[in-house]
Amino acid sequence: MMSPQRETGAKHVKDEEAGHWDRVYATREASELSWWQPHLACSLRLIEGIGLPLTASIIDVGGGNSTLVDDLLARGYERVTVLDISATALEQAKRRLGEKAAKVEWIVGDIVSVSLPQRAFDLWHDRAAFHFLVSQESRRRYLENLRRALKPGGHLILATFAETGPTMCSGLPTMRYSADELARVIGAEFKLIESLREEHRTPAGAKQDFICTHFTFHR
């Protein structure tokens, strides 16, 4: 159990991180953000390839104001959860969706510390969070949450900056991975099914290289 001093320190760091991302989303239009895409083509291709039933439970980790939730609802998925550390980002997504927002479960929380239900999700999607986890401890806590919340036999779609991707994003340091490196870090309980490389052009015209991966979970 953490001491009160360590608990206070952890909360301060968490509040700083949330404040950072709230400022990012509050001071720029969605289409101005470096990671913005009107549709997450790489993620959607991998999701559609799985062939999940429309009743499958899906969580988008670090979803922010991404349009993935719009596209999932448009395809008829009925149980979608979006989690992000920024309440501002989620409010923007809700406003964009209008009445459809009521069909989604929204969670404001840090994925390394939030409490998620056990074996709740058929698909865990993340295009935004994992490559910002630069410490081994933060990655360990993320993976604990992933293993706890994903159903055995479930699917993980994880997109991160590739080896040639940026080392900084939105003023924060990032990690870069190959598909094989992701497989090593995530662990033997996850089997790599497919990986795709994506060259993303930011709204400002810069190039960001991503690796998009699909794993299945076996335990």
Side-chain angles (χ1 to χ4, degrees):
M1 183 176 180
M2 289 197 300
S3 67
Q5 291 85 358
R6 288 183 64 189
E7 288 177 352
T8 300
K11 183 178 186 302
H12 177 69
V13 170
K14 180 179 176 182
D15 289 345
E16 280 192 344
E17 291 174 355
H20 171 83
W21 290 111
D22 281 340
R23 287 189 294 275
V24 168
Y25 283 103
T27 55
R28 294 186 235 168
E29 294 294 326
S31 59
E32 297 173 338
L33 298 170
S34 64
W35 56 86
W36 172 259
Q37 291 181 329
H39 304 280
L40 300 190
C42 192
S43 296
L44 289 167
R45 174 181 166 182
L46 292 175
I47 291 170
E48 289 170 349
I50 296 171
L52 291 169
L54 297 180
T55 54
S57 182
I58 299 172
I59 184 168
D60 185 16
V61 173
N65 64 2
S66 161
T67 60
L68 181 66
V69 62
D70 307 57
D71 287 325
L72 293 176
L73 293 176
R75 285 160 172 76
Y77 288 100
E78 302 169 5
R79 300 170 61 200
V80 180
T81 298
V82 181
L83 181 149
D84 201 273
I85 195 170
S86 170
T88 300
L90 296 186
E91 286 303 318
Q92 291 175 354
K94 291 178 189 179
R95 288 197 296 270
R96 186 183 66 241
L97 283 169
E99 293 181 357
K100 294 179 182 178
K103 299 179 179 180
V104 179
E105 181 176 358
W106 305 92
I107 301 175
V108 178
D110 185 345
I111 190 54
V112 303
S113 58
V114 70
S115 179
L116 294 174
Q118 187 172 5
R119 298 185 177 183
F121 301 106
D122 299 288
L123 170 64
W124 177 295
H125 173 270
D126 175 2
R127 184 183 176 268
F130 194 72
H131 52 218
F132 283 108
L133 304 181
V134 296
S135 73
Q136 185 174 353
E137 175 63 13
S138 62
R139 292 191 294 272
R140 183 190 67 78
R141 293 169 68 183
Y142 177 106
L143 294 172
E144 281 186 353
N145 244 340
L146 169 62
R147 293 186 184 102
R148 182 177 186 275
L150 191 61
K151 296 178 183 179
H155 301 267
L156 166 65
I157 292 178
L158 181 59
T160 70
F161 290 135
E163 315 100 293
T164 51
T167 58
M168 297 285 293
C169 182
S170 294
L172 297 176
T174 64
M175 300 290 290
R176 302 183 295 176
Y177 296 94
S178 66
D180 288 341
E181 180 67 7
L182 276 177
R184 186 192 67 78
V185 170
I186 293 168
E189 293 168 305
F190 290 86
K191 179 182 179 182
L192 179 62
I193 303 299
E194 186 177 3
S195 66
L196 304 170
R197 291 188 69 89
E198 179 183 40
E199 183 181 290
H200 168 60
R201 288 287 175 178
T202 72
K207 181 171 73 76
Q208 291 183 340
D209 292 332
F210 278 79
I211 185 77
C212 306
T213 58
H214 170 209
F215 294 85
T216 52
F217 181 44
H218 306 276
R219 66 180 316 171

